[in-house]
Amino acid sequence: MSSYEKVSLSEINQSIETPNNNHFWQNLKAFLGPGALVAVGYMDPGNWITSVVGGASYKYSLLFVILISSIIAMQLQQMAGKLGIVTRMDLAQATAHHAPKWLRYSLWVILELALMATDLAEVLGSAIALNLLFKIPIMIAILLTVLDVFLLLLLMKFGFKKIEAIVTTLILTILAIFTYLVALSNPSIQGIIGGYLPTSTLFETPLPGHESQLTLALGIVGATVMPHNLYLHSSLSQTRKINHKDKKDVRKAVRFMTWDSNLQLSLAFIVNSLLLILGASLFFGHASEISAFSQMYNALQDSTIAGAIASSILSTLFALALLASGQNSTITGTLTGQIVMEGFLHLRLPQWLIRIGTRIFALLPVIIVAVLFGHQEKTLDQLLVYSQVFLSIALPFSIFPLIYLTSKKSLMGEFTNAKWNTILGYAVSIILTILNIKLLFDIF
């Protein structure tokens, strides 16, 4: 046990039994789950705007950004899950334990801002979906998302496996809907294959009325490799009951955590690719007309944009997928808020109070945005793009501590990162930081 005195998410920590054998499929089944909650963050409503607009603006050319982002995500999430299993601390606890006080609080502020940016996309996605499906006013729909906290508290009573099952079902629903929409849109297979190859056009001057490729690319990175997921995974990887005194059992847990993470993130990669392909095959040439969720919803039933496949059924399916995505993401966002608050600030309050407190705290900027821009849908959705760009800017502040901690032999023992993995991780972080600095200069 670590020297940190309280386990992460104590009500579910070590709560799920695992087989005491080496049977591959039995163990995989037992360890499958945390990766699904992590994968949710890789296909939340923030991805939708950046990916669909990216496809509508530059056709298939940004698919390689989704591919690279997904590979980076797999690398980092494996580190995060391993940190939790081996040290029995989540990333917030481990960072707070090893960082000086000034750095600890600085990182907490940056991460809270990142969580707000995450919530901006997730809550607005859910609220807009409720507005499109049931004509509920945006402000009321936003306030209704607070109920997610109570839903989560209720589901916790039935065991964490139930939450994992619900989240997985919603992910498969999103996957099925977008597979269907893309199949109807008749995409170019040659264009898709070419899109996964890197291109130098990323740094070219944008077309009039379009976001630059670099802005959208970093938005995709920010929406795909999300800072809060590193904290979430380092906590959820501890939900499986293992014998920490037995190195063989710890090795098994790390191995199957990696399987779970990579399988679920592969699903997220497919969903993100489908989003961009849909934008490219159905909306290319109409980027300015589909830069908001409501515009996408309307475009799917407008034959002048969606062509012969346009129908109200397609737009309803789109809104249902958006609602599923938003609901999934707000559940995981609430859990992450608790992990970050407890880990960095060492709060000792009832968990229900921390959950409600962090949810309301995160909702404040969303409500302010809705009040200021509630009747300007395009402006509101452009803010979603820039919220994802901010996540990309905040990402290195989580990556660097993660790589540093998982590279410490004194902390990780035999599970320390391989040297190539550490070098690659730092290289990615440095390149991302340089690109973000360039982006800030371009924006301001």
Side-chain angles (χ1 to χ4, degrees):
M1 184 64 189
S2 72
S3 60
Y4 187 78
E5 64 270 24
K6 187 177 181 182
V7 296
S8 183
L9 295 180
S10 57
E11 71 270 46
I12 57 172
N13 194 285
Q14 298 276 305
S15 65
I16 297 173
E17 296 287 345
T18 56
N20 188 23
N21 60 44
N22 291 318
H23 192 282
F24 179 83
W25 294 110
Q26 285 182 9
N27 278 285
L28 182 61
K29 182 182 176 184
F31 280 91
L32 280 177
L37 276 83
V38 171
V40 160
Y42 291 87
M43 57 181 94
D44 76 334
N47 293 62
W48 293 38
I49 292 290
T50 50
S51 295
V52 176
V53 171
S57 301
Y58 299 103
K59 220 150 192 187
Y60 304 103
S61 63
L62 290 175
L63 277 171
F64 85 96
V65 178
I66 292 176
L67 176 60
I68 291 170
S69 298
S70 298
I71 293 169
I72 293 170
M74 289 179 184
Q75 178 200 25
L76 296 175
Q77 292 299 160
Q78 195 273 344
M79 287 185 191
K82 181 175 67 172
L83 177 74
I85 291 170
V86 174
T87 68
R88 303 179 74 180
M89 290 188 285
D90 60 52
L91 181 56
Q93 291 171 336
T95 304
H97 184 71
H98 290 89
K101 189 172 284 189
W102 68 268
L103 181 58
R104 180 176 125 201
Y105 287 118
S106 299
L107 290 173
W108 173 71
V109 170
I110 291 168
L111 191 60
E112 283 295 347
L113 291 172
L115 284 172
M116 287 180 184
T118 304
D119 262 28
L120 185 72
E122 294 166 353
V123 172
L124 284 176
S126 291
I128 291 169
L130 289 171
N131 174 258
L132 294 172
L133 287 168
F134 308 111
K135 307 306 175 191
I136 298 171
I138 288 289
M139 185 58 70
I140 294 173
I142 287 170
L143 294 174
L144 283 175
T145 63
V146 177
L147 297 177
D148 292 335
V149 181
F150 298 101
L151 176 63
L152 182 60
L153 288 167
L154 178 65
L155 290 173
M156 282 288 196
K157 301 292 184 187
F158 297 99
F160 198 65
K161 265 290 187 185
K162 297 288 190 301
I163 294 176
E164 292 174 347
I166 291 167
V167 166
T168 301
T169 302
L170 290 173
I171 288 173
L172 294 175
T173 301
I174 296 165
L175 178 65
I177 288 173
F178 277 107
T179 301
Y180 178 63
L181 291 176
V182 167
L184 288 179
S185 70
N186 194 27
S188 163
I189 302 301
Q190 186 178 354
I192 292 169
I193 295 169
Y196 286 117
L197 302 175
T199 172
S200 60
T201 61
L202 193 65
F203 301 98
E204 289 182 357
T205 304
L207 298 169
H210 289 68
E211 299 284 359
S212 73
Q213 283 202 56
L214 181 62
T215 301
L216 287 172
L218 283 173
I220 289 170
V221 173
T224 307
V225 189
M226 299 180 78
H228 81 280
N229 270 331
L230 303 176
Y231 295 86
L232 181 66
H233 200 188
S234 63
S235 178
L236 296 185
S237 65
Q238 299 177 57
T239 55
R240 271 51 186 175
K241 191 176 288 185
I242 61 172
N243 180 9
H244 283 86
K245 294 178 181 177
D246 183 353
K247 292 294 182 188
K248 188 178 175 182
D249 210 30
V250 177
R251 276 195 292 273
K252 183 178 80 171
V254 170
R255 177 188 172 207
F256 284 101
M257 173 278 297
T258 305
W259 270 101
D260 172 43
S261 178
N262 289 347
L263 285 171
Q264 307 282 9
L265 290 177
S266 296
L267 277 181
F269 162 71
I270 293 169
V271 170
N272 285 325
S273 294
L274 290 172
L275 286 162
L276 194 140
I277 292 166
L278 183 69
S281 58
L282 204 60
F283 300 134
F284 183 68
H286 299 279
S288 60
E289 299 166 61
I290 55 95
S291 58
F293 287 125
S294 57
Q295 289 177 316
M296 292 179 195
Y297 175 84
N298 293 327
L300 283 168
Q301 50 189 323
D302 184 347
S303 58
T304 61
I305 297 177
I309 70 166
S311 75
S312 58
I313 294 173
L314 294 189
S315 59
T316 300
L317 285 174
F318 173 85
L320 284 172
L322 179 61
L323 183 61
S325 176
Q327 288 305 292
N328 256 353
S329 301
T330 48
I331 287 174
T332 57
T334 303
L335 284 172
T336 309
Q338 179 183 345
I339 292 163
V340 168
M341 193 77 81
E342 287 185 340
F344 276 106
L345 301 186
H346 300 167
L347 286 180
R348 295 292 174 270
L349 298 172
Q351 273 139 8
W352 66 267
L353 185 59
I354 289 178
R355 287 217 178 102
I356 292 173
T358 53
R359 193 87 194 102
I360 293 171
F361 184 58
L363 274 178
L364 285 176
V366 183
I367 292 169
I368 292 168
V369 166
V371 169
L372 294 176
F373 303 105
H375 301 292
Q376 304 172 39
E377 289 174 349
K378 187 174 179 181
T379 304
L380 197 133
D381 285 288
Q382 280 175 335
L383 283 169
L384 292 186
V385 174
Y386 284 106
S387 74
Q388 303 310 297
V389 173
F390 176 78
L391 288 176
S392 186
I393 292 167
L395 184 59
F397 293 97
S398 295
I399 295 180
F400 280 114
L402 174 66
I403 298 170
Y404 170 75
L405 290 166
T406 51
S407 301
K408 277 178 71 74
K409 186 81 174 174
S410 60
L411 184 65
M412 301 295 293
E414 68 176 88
F415 300 98
T416 307
N417 293 336
K419 184 149 282 187
W420 68 264
N421 202 5
T422 299
I423 293 169
L424 184 61
Y426 278 129
V428 165
S429 304
I430 291 165
I431 292 168
L432 190 57
T433 303
I434 292 168
L435 287 174
N436 284 329
I437 292 168
K438 183 187 184 306
L439 175 66
L440 288 173
F441 274 108
D442 289 347
I443 291 173
F444 297 110

